[in-house]
Every structure is written in structure tokens, then in C-alpha cells.
Amino acid sequence: VGLRPPERPASSRENRRGSIKVSDPFDLDATLTSGQVFRWRPVAGAWEGVVGRRWVRLQPLPYGRLAVQTAEAVTDWSWLEDYLQLGVDLPGILATFPPDEPLRRAVSACGGLRLLRQDPWECLASFILSSTKQIVQIQAVIAQLCERFGEPVIVPAGHAAAHAFPSPERLAGVSEVELRACRMGFRAKYLREAAWRVASGELDLAGVQRFPVPEAREVLMRLPGVGRKIADCVLLFAFGFSDVFPIDVWAARALRAFYYGGTPVPLRQLHEFVASYFGPHAGYAQQYLFHYIRVHDGGLDP
DNA sequence: GTCCAGGATTTTC
DNA sequence: GAAAATCATGGA
């Protein structure tokens, strides 16, 4: 795992392109479309997005490589290796899954699905905006939010403008009416309150990393509009607590269909089940089941 | 008009 | 305490 030197070392753009060798399976398409991130866009067989303050283009290559293009010269690629979690031993994680038929099918369908390591603020804000919205709508809301309030980032010459995710300081100063103009509805007041608490220092978001899961979850759930599910998404996608299993309508649907014969099991019982059944990387199992039932299983059950 | 979405909160037993 | 009812909004 690591970044290979560019094909043409003498070029002045030598640090703007490279390719990453990924020894383990890495399904970029499944990873970026599995509902954990909302900012990546498919462009001509590749994916374009913004990580932190950097515009990035990723393209799958043969033999387990990823082509990487940035807009500015880069010497230290640790930010991308961290975001893509290239140091993670995915086969080792999959080996901890219980050997049941649903997981076997899900892993077989998208064996290179990864969990990314997202910025906590962007992740928290994104999932505050996610509640009772479809993924395509969440993408649209966040795109508007970034375009209107995010700082422009450097893009390749001639490329359309791109923006960083707006900081909590910026969003704390945006009116609820302006936020609602991004089609986020009642979530506007929740986003503003979260931005205010983070910007003021009342909520030390980075500090959440140091807490055990129950305390970290409790801290996040003090925010209005953040319940168990959204808190768990932030714990899993931003803080890397890979044993956390967020249960949304789709995950609940998958659990009931695959493990309870489609019977209407209450949510509380599902939480008890996932806490003991899926093992130390239950969050990965969740992502596989979530993506599988949405994309590969027709999304329907009896 | 109806139904649904990577839910949260309030009310009620 | 947990289960049920209410809230909420844009799009298909």
C-alpha cells in the first residue's frame, strides 16, 4: 500500500497524478455509492470529490490500483491514505463476520466495499441532514449547501468550480431561512445549533474520539436532531468505531428479512441482536448488508 | 392525493 | 422504563 511515483517524473505536474496500489480488494464504486458519503460524483468512468480542502479524482485501474489526480502538487499523501483507510486489513475484517448465508451473499456481491474515515464535522452535519430523506435528496441538499457556503477549492484548469464542506463557524452565521433554501426543511435549525455548539467550543467534536462508545454516543445525542441512528453513523464513519451498527430503515429491513424471516421485530430487539451477533467489526457487516439489500437484492422483501 | 425516506421527539401506558 | 403517536418535508 502506497503511492507510486508518476509515469513522467520530469513533468511539472508530477505530483498531481499517481496511482495507489491496493493489495486488498477495493470496490470504489460500492464504497462511494453505499450511503456513507454524499459528495462524490461519477465523471467519465472516474469519481470526483473534495476531501478536506483538496479536489480529488479517483479512477479504478486494473490489477487493484487506483489512479489519483489532484489539482495542486502534493508531496504528503497521508490525508488520502487515511480517508481511504488503505492501512485496513479488509480480508481480516471479513474473516470476523459470522459465517451466515446473508453475509456470505453480501460479501460475494461487493467484496471490496470499504468504510472511509470522514471528517467528523462534515459527517455529523451530513447525517443531521439525512434524517427521513432519500440518499439522492441528501446529495442534492449537501451539494447546494457546499456551493453556497463552502470555500472554493483549487480545481484543474477549465474544470467547474468545487467547494469545501462549509465550516461550523461559517454555518453558525447562516440564517435558518438561508439554510432552508437548500431544501433541508426542519433540519435547518438542527444544523445551525450543531454548527453553533461546535464553533463556540461548547462541543469538542475532536474530543469525542477519546471516549468509549457509550459516552461518545451520549455526547453526540445531546444535539437536537441527533438520535441513536445519526450518532452511530458518526461514530462509525468519522471516528472509526467499527463495532457500531447503525440501524436505519434499510438496515432494519435487511435484519428482519435475513435473520427473522420477515417478521416485524421491534427496533429495540434488533439493537440487542446486532450488539452480540456480528462481532468486533459489526459496522462493516452493517455496511455490507445495507448496500446489498438496497442494490443487489432488489430492495424488497415479503 | 398517497407513499416514502440512512429519524427524532413527545406522549402515553 | 418501553411502546405508540406525532412531527416533519420534499420528491416520486
Side-chain angles (χ1 to χ4, degrees), chain A residues 26-285:
Chain A
F26 199 123
D27 188 336
L28 190 63
D29 291 2
T31 298
L32 299 182
T33 62
S34 63
Q36 54 180 317
V37 283
F38 306 100
R39 290 257 278 152
W40 292 90
R41 292 289 178 271
V43 180
W47 292 93
E48 294 183 3
V50 176
V51 178
R53 296 184 171 278
R54 294 184 179 91
W55 178 92
V56 187
R57 176 185 166 95
L58 300 174
Q59 183 170 16
L61 296 177
Y63 306 112
R65 303 193 76 88
L66 294 178
V68 181
Q69 179 187 354
T70 57
E72 296 182 288
V74 174
T75 56
D76 179 6
W77 292 92
S78 59
W79 55 276
L80 186 60
E81 293 171 350
D82 180 62
Y83 180 78
L84 297 176
Q85 290 286 282
L86 296 182
V88 163
D89 172 21
L90 186 59
I93 289 174
L94 300 183
T96 69
F97 287 2
D100 62 40
E101 185 59 19
L103 272 177
R104 191 197 65 73
R105 287 204 309 270
V107 170
S108 174
C110 45
L113 174 59
R114 302 290 188 123
L115 288 184
L116 302 170
R117 183 65 66 92
Q118 299 179 43
D119 170 73
W121 167 246
E122 177 169 348
C123 187
L124 172 62
S126 295
F127 279 94
I128 285 176
L129 300 178
S130 77
S131 91
T132 58
K133 269 191 164 305
Q134 300 182 31
I135 289 178
V136 61
Q137 297 175 357
I138 301 166
Q139 292 172 335
V141 168
I142 292 176
Q144 290 189 58
L145 185 72
C146 293
E147 183 176 353
R148 297 184 191 198
F149 306 113
E151 292 290 327
V153 299
I154 306 295
V155 297
H159 195 281
H163 301 79
F165 194 89
S167 68
E169 291 77 11
R170 176 72 179 97
L171 290 183
V174 175
S175 72
E176 183 180 332
V177 170
E178 289 178 290
L179 292 178
R180 279 180 175 265
C182 300
R183 305 296 190 188
M184 66 179 71
F186 62 91
R187 305 159 194 85
K189 65 175 80 67
Y190 297 152
L191 179 61
R192 228 169 89 81
E193 178 65 20
W196 185 258
R197 292 193 193 181
V198 173
S200 69
E202 181 179 338
L203 171 57
D204 175 17
L205 206 49
V208 171
Q209 181 77 71
R210 297 191 298 269
F211 291 107
V213 165
E215 285 82 347
R217 177 183 290 136
E218 196 275 332
V219 168
L220 293 173
M221 287 178 62
R222 287 180 202 158
L223 292 165
V226 177
R228 172 68 183 261
K229 189 269 170 183
I230 291 176
D232 281 359
C233 283
V234 178
L235 294 179
L236 179 62
F237 300 139
F239 293 111
F241 293 106
S242 64
D243 58 325
V244 174
F245 192 120
I247 303 180
D248 73 312
V249 290
W250 283 100
R253 197 170 292 165
L255 292 170
R256 288 169 180 140
F258 297 152
Y259 297 96
Y260 291 93
T263 58
V265 182
L267 185 58
R268 185 196 60 75
Q269 188 175 336
L270 294 179
H271 273 119
E272 292 178 1
F273 171 62
V274 303
S276 63
Y277 179 71
F278 287 104
H281 301 291
Y284 277 83

